[in-house]
């Protein structure tokens, strides 16, 4: 087990180029109530069908509603319910895995503290191939699972999945293993990010959370070519962590802190919210929570890193190689779709797809409109050409 030490990068750097763009397509509304099957959109992944790009798919988690699979027009083509007690949180892809070099969707089931693995057929249909004896990710037993300090965020690379543990600062690397047509996994390393932080004035700061909870991580993406994990610690910062095959390596570094970094806070149990004071001078621009992270590659090492600033519904773009700020953008209301608010998850591809010749960016929308007075979420498709200043 490793222990992280915060080392800031690009301290004090600011950028002010800001774009307002619109989404090209949106998926059907999901409703987080009994009538809607308690479906709450969260995290997307983009599967590129190499044999027929027009049949590529967007796969999105819907928490208690399981998984939804969409075509490039945003139409739902498959719905998968979780097992009893399951709650699907994040999804990512593993390509060319196993003896037959198949593609898979890997999902964190935070309700059961497991990974669920779905083989992606040539048609784009998902088939559950999770081993019956797949182990718990972090919990010792079923009793500990009930505390819901379970598998949460997810990012894949090669045959590995990096998983975060809810309500803690722990990350784990899990190796996928194929067994007689089913897929299981085992842990190969763990890492704990900091819970407390030394500020520039010499004082110590602990982020405000509900008592007993630590500043957790959810949004993550792996830059496999660079051997780097980007992990969004929601109330703290976006981190850059080196990977050495199936191990964490080196000292994690901060790409950018949240705007609330260093702010003293008081938790109110009645509202379940924190009242914050003034942040530290070294605070960044990202409004907590820092959330969904994704990479748009332009070649093996260059491209862009994108992260969600959930608190103000912005997205920040960084140079993939240097991590220096490039610009920010918001997805606003357009003629065909509403904008994106309080986004959790993001996924990008630079592969040319029908209707998206420069690639596709898919974003979770936490406040889909119109909502009919219900809690409505969905996914928005953004044509990469809308981000004119990034290419």
């Amino acid at each position: 087990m490793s222990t992280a030490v915060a080392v800031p990068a690009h301290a004090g750097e600011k950028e002010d180029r800001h774009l307002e763009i619109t989404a090209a397509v949106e998926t059907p509304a999901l409703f987080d109530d009994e009538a809607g099957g308690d479906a709450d959109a969260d995290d997307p992944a983009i599967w590129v069908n190499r044999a027929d790009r027009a049949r590529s798919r967007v796969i999105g988690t819907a928490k208690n509603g399981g998984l939804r699979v969409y075509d490039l027009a945003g139409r739902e083509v498959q719905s998968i319910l979780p097992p009893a007690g399951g709650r699907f949180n994040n999804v990512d892809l593993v390509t060319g895995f196993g003896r037959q070099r198949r593609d898979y969707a890997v999902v964190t089931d935070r309700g059961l503290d497991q990974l669920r693995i779905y083989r992606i057929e040539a048609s784009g249909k998902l088939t559950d191939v999770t081993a019956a004896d797949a182990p718990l990710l972090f919990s010792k037993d079923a009793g500990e699972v009930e505390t819901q300090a379970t598998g949460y965020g997810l990012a894949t690379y090669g045959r590995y999945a990096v998983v975060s543990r809810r309500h803690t600062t722990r990350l784990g690397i899990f190796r996928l293993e194929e067994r007689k047509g089913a897929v299981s996994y085992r842990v190969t390393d763990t890492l704990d990010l900091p819970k407390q932080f030394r500020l520039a004035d010499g004082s110590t700061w602990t982020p405000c959370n509900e008592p007993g909870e630590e500043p957790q991580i959810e949004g993550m993406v792996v830059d496999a070519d660079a051997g780097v994990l980007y992990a969004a610690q929601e109330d703290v910062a976006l981190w850059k962590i080196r990977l050495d095959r199936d191990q964490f390596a080196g000292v994690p570094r901060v790409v950018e802190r949240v705007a609330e970094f260093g702010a003293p806070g008081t938790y109110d149990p009645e509202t379940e919210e924190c009242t914050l004071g003034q942040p530290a001078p070294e605070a960044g621009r990202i409004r907590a929570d820092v959330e969904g992270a994704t990479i748009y590659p332009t070649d093996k090492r260059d491209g862009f890193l994108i992260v969600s600033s959930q608190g103000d519904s912005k997205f920040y773009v960084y140079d993939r190689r240097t991590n220096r700020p490039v610009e920010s953008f918001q997805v606003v209301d357009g003629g065909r779709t509403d904008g994106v608010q309080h986004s959790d998850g993001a996924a990008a591809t630079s592969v040319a797809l029908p209707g998206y010749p420069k690639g596709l960016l898919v974003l979770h929308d936490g406040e889909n409109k119109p909502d009919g007075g219900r809690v409505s979420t969905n996914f928005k498709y953004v044509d990469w050409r809308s981000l004119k200043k990034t290419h």
Side-chain angles (χ1 to χ4, degrees):
M1 182 187 302
S2 306
T3 301
V5 178
V7 181
H10 310 313
E13 279 198 47
K14 307 291 180 182
E15 59 81 38
D16 56 7
R17 290 188 295 175
H18 182 72
L19 300 176
E20 290 189 350
I21 62 176
T22 58
V25 168
E26 65 180 327
T27 61
L30 296 178
F31 295 100
D32 190 15
D33 53 27
E34 185 175 356
D38 298 322
D40 184 8
D42 192 287
D43 187 50
I46 303 169
W47 176 69
V48 175
N49 186 328
R50 293 179 291 276
D52 183 359
R53 291 184 183 180
R55 301 185 71 179
S56 298
R57 297 289 185 255
V58 172
I59 304 165
T61 57
K63 296 185 181 174
N64 287 354
L67 282 180
R68 297 292 192 274
V69 183
Y70 306 99
D71 65 14
L72 292 180
R75 295 172 297 211
E76 183 181 301
V77 296
Q78 188 179 5
S79 176
I80 300 171
L81 290 176
R87 182 175 172 86
F88 289 176
N89 207 69
N90 279 195
V91 59
D92 207 346
L93 304 179
V94 171
T95 59
F97 170 69
R99 291 184 179 180
Q100 296 183 333
R101 299 293 184 182
R102 305 291 292 271
D103 295 347
Y104 296 83
V106 182
V107 181
T108 46
D109 184 342
R110 92 185 209 198
L112 299 177
D113 197 24
Q114 291 180 313
L115 294 180
R116 294 212 72 82
I117 298 96
Y118 294 85
R119 186 175 63 238
I120 306 175
E121 313 293 352
S123 64
K125 180 180 178 182
L126 271 60
T127 301
D128 191 348
V129 293
T130 311
D133 61 351
L136 299 177
L137 291 166
F138 297 104
S139 305
K140 300 185 189 70
D141 52 36
E144 191 172 358
V145 172
E146 292 183 2
T147 69
Q148 286 298 287
T150 50
Y152 199 51
L154 172 75
T156 59
Y157 65 104
R159 63 183 301 160
Y160 300 99
V162 182
V163 183
S164 66
R165 187 177 192 184
R166 188 168 179 252
H167 297 331
T168 78
T169 67
R170 175 153 294 187
L171 300 170
I173 298 177
F174 296 83
R175 176 187 169 98
L176 301 182
E177 299 180 335
E178 188 179 38
R179 301 173 184 169
K180 297 180 180 180
V183 181
S184 189
Y185 47 88
R186 61 179 177 85
V187 65
T188 62
D189 198 15
T190 60
L191 168 74
D192 292 327
L193 287 179
K195 306 170 189 177
Q196 294 182 322
F197 303 86
R198 179 62 61 88
L199 301 180
D201 65 4
S203 64
T204 299
W205 173 67
T206 302
C208 181
N209 282 284
E210 184 173 342
E213 295 182 4
E214 299 170 356
Q216 67 186 11
I217 303 100
E218 183 176 11
M220 295 190 290
V221 66
V222 172
D223 186 339
D225 291 321
V228 166
L229 167 71
Y230 293 97
Q233 191 173 18
E234 296 177 350
D235 298 319
V236 179
L238 178 67
W239 293 88
K240 182 177 185 177
I241 304 167
R242 287 183 51 234
L243 299 171
D244 183 5
R245 299 185 64 182
D246 61 354
Q247 304 286 312
F248 296 106
V251 176
R253 300 182 66 87
V254 170
V255 175
E256 184 165 358
R257 302 179 183 92
V258 297
E260 298 83 359
F261 187 88
T266 302
Y267 179 77
D268 185 339
E270 292 188 6
T271 64
E272 298 183 344
E273 299 288 344
C274 289
T275 301
L276 300 180
Q278 290 297 313
E282 60 265 37
R285 303 164 301 160
I286 305 170
R287 292 286 176 182
D289 294 348
V290 51
E291 286 283 356
T294 190
I295 289 172
Y296 176 93
T298 55
D299 58 31
K300 190 173 178 65
R301 294 298 301 272
D302 292 309
F304 303 96
L305 167 67
I306 303 152
V307 64
S308 170
S309 174
Q310 192 180 65
D312 59 4
S313 300
K314 289 183 179 180
F315 295 85
Y316 287 100
V317 182
Y318 306 85
D319 182 272
R320 178 185 174 196
R321 187 186 289 266
T322 66
N323 294 157
R324 296 188 182 280
V326 175
E327 66 188 11
S328 63
F329 67 90
Q330 285 178 288
V331 181
V332 299
D333 293 350
R336 291 186 290 177
T337 67
D338 64 304
V340 171
Q341 289 80 39
H342 308 306
S343 184
D344 268 337
T349 180
S350 58
V351 174
L353 299 172
Y356 305 96
K358 293 293 185 180
L360 173 64
L361 174 65
V362 179
L363 303 171
H364 160 259
D365 180 11
E367 291 185 14
N368 179 54
K369 302 292 182 182
D371 59 12
R374 302 161 70 189
V375 176
S376 175
T377 56
N378 68 354
F379 299 100
K380 301 295 197 287
Y381 295 10
V382 174
D383 185 336
W384 189 261
R385 291 174 296 178
S386 298
L387 296 166
K388 295 178 181 178
K389 292 183 181 179
T390 62
H391 59 79

